[in-house]
Amino acid sequence: MTVRVLLVDDQPLIRAGLRVLIADAPDLDVVGEAGTGTEAVRLAREVVPDVVLMDLRMPGMDGIQATRAITAHGGSARVLVLTTFDDDEHVHAALRAGASGFLVKDMALDDILGAVRVVAAGDALIAPGVTRRLIAEFARRPTPAAPSRTLDGVTEREREVLTLVGRGLSNGEIAAELVISVATAKAHVARLFTKLGARDRVHLVIAAYDAGLVSAAG
């Protein structure tokens, strides 16, 4: 099965480099290119990509706005943003907008291809260590006076699981913490995806913070 990729970057040279890189991968195919957020939203609906490689800084509609529009449309396209680690505020905003992960533009070429495949398979490109980096940033922020998200329909056990996901624990670590099997932990996480409308594990982390389950003290 070939993964259909839409390239979005306002720099033609970067798009050209990515296009050449992807052309060498038999399981990946570039189905479109966009130099603006507005064009990206239009093309995402026309060419129906599996993965959108999205730049964040673009004139007019930026990558965060475009990500929000693409993911809100309800299609199957998953957004993988292109950014740098020293711009965490934009990373957090992109994840809240619905992105499934992010890449660093100067990372190894094989890692970029691997990231596209990971996101196309339905996973988030956020390894536990990186998740904890994001959590550390959330923890430095003031805890809101009232939770901004309710957890209607979430059981007490699922709340416990969501809290641990919010702390950056893997399914294996959650299983050990709650003295349950890894399969049971995975099942709880899967139900949380459905109940909270989360696209992937990253958005469960955000949901845990929004619901007040995890804070700087937690």
Side-chain angles (χ1 to χ4, degrees), residues 129-189:
V130 178
T131 301
R132 292 187 176 106
R133 172 194 171 91
L134 294 173
I135 289 170
E137 173 61 25
F138 276 119
R140 286 196 291 269
R141 301 178 178 186
T143 302
S148 59
R149 180 192 290 261
T150 60
L151 298 177
D152 295 338
V154 174
T155 67
E156 189 58 38
R157 174 61 90 184
E158 288 164 351
R159 256 186 189 288
E160 293 175 335
V161 171
L162 181 59
T163 300
L164 296 176
V165 171
R167 284 168 43 194
L169 273 64
S170 66
N171 288 339
E173 292 168 331
I174 291 171
E177 180 84 10
L178 298 179
V179 195
I180 58 178
S181 70
V182 174
T184 299
K186 287 181 179 178
H188 283 310
V189 171

Side-chain angles (χ1 to χ4, degrees), residues 77-103:
R78 299 174 66 83
V79 178
L80 186 56
V81 302
L82 296 130
T83 186
T84 58
F85 278 117
D86 60 356
D87 198 5
D88 284 346
E89 284 297 321
H90 285 85
V91 172
H92 299 148
L95 294 177
R96 288 187 182 277
S100 294
F102 57 90
L103 297 177

